[in-house]
Amino acid sequence: MEQEVLDLPEGAVPGPIKAPGAKPMMHGRKRPVWEIGFEVGLEWLIRLCGISAILFVFGIFAFVFREGAGFLFSGRFSLPKFLFTTEWYPTSMSNIRYGVLALIVGTGSVTILAMAIAVPFGLGAAIFISEFCTGRIKEILKIIIELLAAIPSVVWGFIGISIMNPLIQTVFSVPVGLNVFNGATLLALMSVPIMVSIGEDSLKAVPDSFREAALAMGATRWQTIVRVLLPAAKNGLLAAVLLGIGRAVGETMAVLMATGHAVKIPHSIFDPVRTLTATIAAELGEASVGSDHYQVLFIVGILLFTITFVVNLSADLIVRGVRKG
Amino acid sequence: MDDESHTYPLIRVQDLKVRYGHREVVHGISFDVQKNEIFAIIGPAQSGKSSILKCLNRTLEFIADAKMSGSVEVNGVDVKKVHNVYELRREIGMVAPLPVGLPLSIFDNVAFAPRASGLRDKHELDALVQRCLEQAALWDEVKDRLNSLGTKLSGGQQQRLTIARALSHQPSILCLDEFSIAIDPVTTMRIEDVLKELKAELTVVLVTNLVQQARRLADRTMFVWNGEVVELGPTDAIFSEQPQSQKTYDYVHGIFG
């Protein structure tokens, strides 16, 4: 068909012609309508995909908020009491109290200790794999570390109860092995893979010319890493750490099994605690739908949501600030 | 021949061969570089020019399957037997084809190598950074913003920053690998002027595929083709009407390449 169009004498070309005697547009070719329509449709589809993320986030928030809202605004609920008291007795016969401070401290202590273990470990592994390993060892290490991420969290819980528990009891000679330290160790091991893979990616993204330039100036490998590569990769490394924190705050099953499930503020890392997530997971099934207890658990959900939102937002702001500076 | 006894060449390369895996790209090259000269290596792409430079400061060993044989002596010491490779690398300033601004401030870019070698004194660092930036003809443009990121400079400025950085470890040899391919002619001329001045203090090895640049700057020129030396001699002879090889004549007069 194209051939025909080209062979036609000037002025007789079919299709959109602007003025009599005007030359045909680029070779007189036309793209089929379905192809143009397909492109437009595809563009709208990916636009929808992009926007849907917003819809999902707000949708989930709205749903969780609706479930908890009834009690939140009922007058029987006091926010300061909820946030700043440690008494969590949702099923008490005489005096029902909903104080989540101990749960917040539980989540916080497990997360912080987990990060204190996982950040040096994870970033160290990322640096080792990216800068000191070559060839086969590198590939094997990467695959094995990613396998670590594939272990289901309930299996980690098993390990917490059956291996870590007696181990902690004998090594540190404490009466209970299910405690902050146990949960934090599991969480650290769970968040190391994501830190390693994101951290390794961000180090790999640093151009080789930086390494060559630094080494050619007589810097040692370690000086190159500390003074050039880490500053160059800091955004990615920060993202790696924050994803690890996100994983640790949100993790439920392993900490439910390994932290001892006691609602109290810990005085040492060998005290049992309970986290916000574990509380929701353990109690939601037993609270009757629509009851105060049920609604309070959703308020705990809102709280959890807010914490992760604040962590992510501040991370974003830090990264932005770093980028600007 | 008698000269050799008292003016020892700064760089002496003998029968240098470089292989990447099974592919040999430099097939036994020998040359000397004298003190305080500008020595140009010209030749088309893929002829092994950059590989030769990488042998001088042993950065070739960062390439996984690269191997060199033959001997390379810098200041009379075989680079393969040098006991402190970091010192060797500080002896040789390297400027890469594309400007590499490290993601640090302008000051830190230049202060990187002195700090790496252990210089901590603030005044000494300040003075050294200023001197290097002046030598690279960049000081006037950046003296008010030494703390802003080096990567925000323009391409030509970044290339001069790279030169300042290469000078910061006070090398006796400055190697430039096609420094002008990413910058404009005016900046190129400024850097060429800088090189002419630096010649009084150090020795310059200039790898270039701009034959006219070699003609403007070099005392001696080596024409490399497919990993072999076609001709090595005073720049005037290479660019004369009758060089030793017809290939040299054709290349420098733009008949091929």
Side-chain angles (χ1 to χ4, degrees):
Chain A
M1 202 181 108
E2 257 172 24
Q3 201 57 40
E4 260 180 39
V5 172
L6 285 173
D7 283 342
L8 283 172
E10 214 186 336
V13 181
I17 291 178
K18 281 159 258 159
K23 281 189 179 169
M25 285 163 64
M26 289 281 280
H27 316 295
R29 287 185 205 139
K30 262 180 72 184
R31 295 172 64 218
V33 175
W34 67 265
E35 199 180 304
I36 298 169
F38 180 72
E39 274 179 17
V40 173
L42 207 61
E43 203 180 313
W44 273 101
L45 196 68
I46 58 168
R47 189 168 293 173
L48 203 70
C49 295
I51 295 169
S52 67
I54 303 175
L55 291 179
F56 288 137
V57 170
F58 280 99
I60 290 168
F61 188 78
F63 172 75
V64 175
F65 192 79
R66 198 197 64 193
E67 291 295 309
F71 187 63
L72 196 59
F73 300 114
S74 66
R76 282 168 291 153
F77 178 80
S78 137
L79 189 64
K81 234 181 199 170
F82 174 71
L83 286 180
F84 302 119
T85 63
T86 58
E87 261 119 67
W88 177 259
Y89 295 112
T91 51
S92 165
M93 289 304 206
S94 52
N95 183 11
I96 292 176
R97 281 154 290 172
Y98 303 113
V100 292
L101 184 62
L103 305 179
I104 296 175
V105 174
T107 291
S109 57
V110 174
T111 305
I112 289 169
L113 186 60
M115 287 303 110
I117 301 169
V119 169
F121 205 76
L123 295 188
I127 292 171
F128 178 71
I129 290 176
S130 164
E131 303 302 319
F132 291 91
C133 277
T134 47
R136 181 170 287 180
I137 301 171
K138 186 172 184 165
E139 292 310 310
I140 291 172
L141 266 178
K142 278 173 75 171
I143 289 168
I144 289 178
I145 286 180
E146 268 154 36
L147 267 181
L148 209 58
I151 299 174
S153 65
V154 71
V155 174
W156 285 110
F158 267 170
I159 294 167
I161 291 173
S162 62
I163 298 173
M164 292 292 290
N165 182 19
L167 198 68
I168 292 171
Q169 280 174 330
T170 45
V171 172
F172 299 100
S173 52
V174 285
V176 196
L178 298 175
N179 51 29
V180 176
F181 183 70
N182 192 338
T185 313
L186 298 184
L187 277 187
L189 285 171
M190 292 170 84
S191 45
V192 156
I194 194 161
M195 282 193 198
V196 173
S197 69
I198 307 258
E200 203 253 339
D201 281 349
S202 61
L203 283 169
K204 202 167 60 187
V206 177
D208 274 341
S209 59
F210 287 8
R211 294 181 182 84
E212 279 161 25
L215 292 166
M217 282 191 280
T220 63
R221 196 137 67 154
W222 191 240
Q223 286 168 333
T224 307
I225 290 169
V226 174
R227 296 185 196 180
V228 177
L229 300 185
L230 294 187
K234 62 190 163 193
N235 283 350
L237 296 176
L238 196 62
V241 170
L242 290 163
L243 278 168
I245 294 179
R247 176 88 213 250
V249 171
E251 174 50 39
T252 307
M253 191 46 78
V255 289
L256 174 69
M257 294 164 81
T259 55
H261 218 57
V263 186
K264 62 174 209 172
I265 290 186
H267 297 290
S268 83
I269 58 168
F270 298 114
D271 279 353
V273 289
R274 202 207 281 188
T275 63
L276 293 164
T277 49
T279 306
I280 297 176
E283 293 180 9
L284 193 60
E286 283 156 29
S288 58
V289 178
S291 68
D292 283 359
H293 185 196
Y294 176 86
Q295 296 191 7
V296 164
L297 289 175
F298 275 90
I299 298 174
V300 173
I302 297 172
L303 180 65
L304 204 56
F305 206 78
T306 315
I307 292 173
T308 46
F309 182 73
V310 168
V311 169
N312 277 344
L313 191 72
S314 48
D316 217 43
L317 291 177
I318 293 169
V319 169
R320 249 169 246 271
V322 168
R323 206 173 289 160
K324 214 185 275 172
Chain B
M1 276 297 165
D2 286 337
D3 281 5
E4 255 186 46
S5 52
H6 52 268
T7 58
Y8 200 83
L10 196 57
I11 300 172
R12 163 163 282 182
V13 174
Q14 273 169 328
D15 197 28
L16 175 69
K17 289 179 183 159
V18 179
R19 274 188 312 160
Y20 296 112
H22 293 296
R23 198 165 54 90
E24 192 176 89
V25 295
V26 177
H27 317 290
I29 278 181
S30 305
F31 63 92
D32 289 348
V33 179
Q34 303 297 330
K35 210 161 182 277
N36 293 87
E37 73 169 340
I38 297 184
F39 184 85
I41 304 176
I42 60 170
Q46 300 290 314
S47 54
K49 309 188 299 289
S50 304
S51 302
I52 297 171
L53 284 193
K54 287 200 173 96
C55 295
L56 297 184
N57 68 349
R58 266 178 52 185
T59 45
L60 191 79
E61 52 198 50
F62 299 135
I63 302 167
D65 56 351
K67 280 211 169 60
M68 67 171 266
S69 65
S71 90
V72 175
E73 286 175 21
V74 174
N75 270 334
V77 181
D78 189 333
V79 297
K80 274 189 281 191
K81 292 174 192 141
V82 73
H83 53 276
N84 185 345
V85 70
Y86 307 112
E87 230 160 65
L88 170 72
R89 288 182 188 143
R90 280 196 280 272
E91 259 319 281
I92 301 172
M94 272 289 170
V95 176
L98 297 173
V100 182
L102 296 178
L104 310 167
S105 74
I106 294 172
F107 185 91
D108 289 341
N109 256 287
V110 185
F112 177 85
R115 278 179 182 150
S117 65
L119 179 62
R120 290 284 176 279
D121 185 72
K122 181 86 178 75
H123 294 290
E124 219 174 307
L125 260 182
D126 284 346
L128 182 63
V129 168
Q130 178 171 354
R131 193 172 74 235
C132 294
L133 285 170
E134 279 169 352
Q135 279 181 321
L138 187 62
W139 174 251
D140 290 332
E141 289 161 55
V142 300
K143 65 182 172 196
D144 301 322
R145 48 180 173 135
L146 289 175
N147 287 320
S148 64
L149 266 182
T151 39
K152 289 198 175 144
L153 296 172
S154 75
Q157 287 173 325
Q158 279 199 45
Q159 192 59 298
R160 278 176 285 157
L161 181 65
T162 323
I163 292 176
R165 220 170 48 198
L167 295 171
S168 71
H169 38 93
Q170 292 152 304
S172 55
I173 301 160
L174 181 64
C175 297
L176 300 105
D177 189 359
E178 294 179 14
F179 72 90
S180 56
I181 61 170
I183 56 181
D184 66 291
V186 178
T187 315
T188 304
M189 293 314 287
R190 286 190 68 172
I191 296 179
E192 288 186 10
D193 290 340
V194 167
L195 295 180
K196 281 182 217 155
E197 279 172 34
L198 285 173
K199 198 178 115 175
E201 292 169 38
L202 40 77
T203 306
V204 177
V205 178
L206 177 73
V207 163
T208 180
N209 52 18
L210 303 177
V211 289
Q212 295 308 323
Q213 190 168 58
R215 183 180 208 164
R216 285 192 295 268
L217 292 173
D219 299 304
R220 287 193 306 143
T221 297
M222 177 165 83
F223 173 40
V224 183
W225 168 257
N226 272 341
E228 279 165 15
V229 178
V230 176
E231 191 164 346
L232 165 60
T235 303
D236 294 339
I238 298 273
F239 284 90
S240 70
E241 291 302 309
Q242 281 146 333
Q244 286 167 21
S245 157
Q246 182 62 31
K247 218 173 196 169
T248 311
Y249 180 88
D250 291 350
Y251 185 71
V252 301
H253 289 85
I255 291 167
F256 86 100

